[in-house]
Amino acid sequence: MSYRVPFVNYPEHYRRIWDETMAALTDVLTHGDLIMRAHLREFEESIAAMSGSKYAVGLNSGTDAIWLSLVAAGIKTGDEVITVAHTFVATAAVIVHCGARPVLIDVGDDYNMDVSRLEAAITPRTRAVIPVHLNGRLCEMDRLMEIAGKHKLIVIEDAAQALNAAFDGKKSGSFGLTGCFSLYPAKLLGAAGDGGIVVTDDENIAQKIRLLRDHCVERATGDILGYGFNSRLDNLQAALLNVKLKYLPAWIERRREIAARYQHGLGGIPGLSLPPPPAAGRYYDVFTNYAVLSDNRDGLVSHLTESGVETIISWPKPMHRHPALGLGHFRLPRTEKISREVVSLPLYPELSDAQADFVIGSVRKFYRV
């Protein structure tokens, strides 16, 4: 189906930076700089500086960013790691792949971890907590870090959707032992395929992850220091991301403009709950998604589809309600309510004001306001 307002618009996105993109890719291919070359090192240095961290390590996905962080931190069989169910399954999967047990707690009105529930979930086996910064908004990190410090817990930030977001002026990824970002195409800074990156202030952790991503081979000596993985961010993707990185601040501001436009046009509609506005005090939100709650979500989605507006539901069934995952013993009423009511509206830098207004008008028509 051809949408009047698609959820993302990759062709328009790349049309605007086509010449620079082709020049960067041509440079890589002309010189044969395909794996672990200067473009990757430049990208890692830029992301570290932007996030306010000392080190950054490029990987092949945001999933591996969290997984290798847990491995480097020593999470193992028998450990417990606290996180949420309102996230993509990868967040829990990497805990399981370490041999540990995911412990799920509920979320609050901003779709992020309800930190007031964190301490009650801690047991003698709890080793770490993974807050998920969803939709471009950080968790309440001051309280979370206080509780984690009190109980000596490792904090691994799942910041896949929150690159350059901030809480109290401090950037995402810079609170915990590591911060983990996804470079999936639909993210704020998207590769032309999969990619991820870890940031940290811990030199030892950075070095462990560098080794783990490259089969634990010490390239300077050729020594193999253990059993590792193949999880390198391709140099070709890094070259593309270096081009895009300079546009990221402007792209984020455009996202915030559209979010403000939605806030103004959709505010006060009975039966529709909106995310916090861009001017949200201690938070600097980057609006990877604009997720709303509707008391008639399925009807709204059907109406928008017929009107030519593409939407996304993340996630129609909460993670702990998938029997194959073995997480059904958790009771998370807020998470389940969100899964019944949530829908994300189109929001990306290339979206025009006219398209945003069309989305607003379509929603208002559904609610007859």
Side-chain angles (χ1 to χ4, degrees):
M1 177 178 180
S2 178
Y3 289 96
R4 179 169 177 176
V5 187
F7 191 75
V8 294
N9 192 338
Y10 296 128
E12 178 61 19
H13 175 74
Y14 280 104
R15 184 191 67 79
R16 298 185 181 193
I17 57 171
W18 185 258
D19 290 344
E20 291 176 89
T21 298
M22 290 301 103
L25 301 186
T26 299
D27 179 60
V28 171
L29 296 176
T30 299
H31 293 90
D33 289 340
L34 300 179
I35 302 291
M36 306 276 282
R37 310 299 284 185
H39 300 88
L40 175 58
R41 292 192 292 272
E42 178 186 343
F43 180 64
E44 290 173 334
E45 290 169 1
S46 296
I47 292 293
M50 187 183 73
S51 67
S53 301
K54 293 180 180 178
Y55 311 100
V57 185
L59 303 168
N60 74 359
S61 68
T63 302
D64 275 13
I66 308 171
W67 180 37
L68 297 189
S69 291
L70 292 171
V71 173
I75 301 302
K76 60 187 185 305
T77 300
D79 292 339
E80 293 179 351
V81 180
I82 299 172
T83 190
V84 295
H86 190 56
T87 179
F88 186 53
V89 64
T91 311
V94 293
I95 298 170
V96 174
H97 291 328
C98 289
R101 174 177 176 264
V103 175
L104 306 178
I105 62 176
D106 219 343
V107 295
D109 291 339
D110 62 356
Y111 313 117
N112 285 335
M113 180 180 287
D114 183 350
V115 179
S116 69
R117 300 177 182 275
L118 175 57
E119 202 155 19
I122 297 171
T123 75
R125 291 187 174 183
T126 307
R127 287 283 315 285
V129 56
I130 303 178
V132 181
H133 306 314
L134 206 64
N135 300 323
R137 181 180 179 86
L138 266 65
C139 295
E140 194 177 1
M141 290 305 292
D142 56 346
R143 292 182 63 199
L144 188 146
M145 294 303 296
E146 181 182 354
I147 294 169
K150 175 182 174 183
H151 294 274
K152 296 181 173 56
L153 302 182
I154 297 163
V155 176
I156 306 293
E157 295 177 65
D158 180 343
Q161 296 188 3
L163 182 63
N164 220 35
F167 177 78
D168 280 346
K170 189 172 172 64
K171 293 289 186 68
S172 59
S174 65
F175 290 87
L177 178 65
T178 69
C180 306
F181 301 103
S182 171
L183 303 171
Y184 181 78
K187 295 298 192 290
L188 292 159
L189 185 68
D194 284 314
I197 195 161
V198 170
V199 297
T200 184
D201 282 338
D202 190 309
E203 183 177 11
N204 183 51
I205 289 293
Q207 181 58 19
K208 283 183 178 180
I209 295 174
R210 287 193 193 102
L211 285 169
L212 287 167
R213 75 173 173 182
D214 194 26
H215 295 290
C216 283
V217 176
E218 177 53 72
R219 292 294 172 177
T221 64
D223 291 335
I224 301 173
L225 305 181
Y227 290 104
F229 311 94
N230 182 359
S231 184
R232 302 173 297 238
L233 178 64
D234 289 340
N235 205 62
L236 198 66
Q237 298 287 5
L240 166 63
L241 292 163
N242 284 330
V243 171
K244 299 174 78 170
L245 190 57
K246 64 185 178 183
Y247 294 102
L248 182 63
W251 288 343
I252 289 173
E253 284 309 307
R254 177 58 184 158
R255 286 176 177 273
R256 287 168 58 82
E257 288 175 6
I258 297 167
R261 199 174 192 92
Y262 279 156
Q263 202 79 25
H264 177 75
L266 298 175
I269 297 177
L272 190 70
S273 298
L274 307 182
R282 305 171 72 186
Y283 295 87
Y284 179 81
D285 297 344
V286 294
F287 291 95
T288 303
N289 300 300
Y290 191 84
V292 304
L293 299 180
S294 170
D295 61 355
N296 185 4
R297 191 269 307 283
D298 294 345
L300 175 60
V301 168
S302 178
H303 168 78
L304 290 175
T305 300
E306 292 172 2
S307 302
V309 176
E310 186 178 17
T311 59
I312 293 290
I313 297 173
S314 300
W315 294 263
K317 181 190 288 188
M319 183 165 54
H320 65 295
R321 290 304 182 197
H322 290 267
L325 301 182
L327 300 170
H329 54 289
F330 292 104
R331 296 293 175 262
L332 309 169
R334 180 64 180 166
T335 297
E336 294 181 9
K337 181 178 187 295
I338 288 173
S339 289
R340 290 193 302 268
E341 299 181 359
V342 73
V343 58
S344 292
L345 304 179
L347 193 159
Y348 45 92
E350 299 78 26
L351 191 76
S352 69
D353 288 349
Q355 286 176 309
D357 289 343
F358 182 78
V359 174
I360 292 168
S362 298
V363 174
R364 295 185 68 88
K365 183 177 180 180
F366 175 77
Y367 279 101
R368 299 182 180 180
V369 293

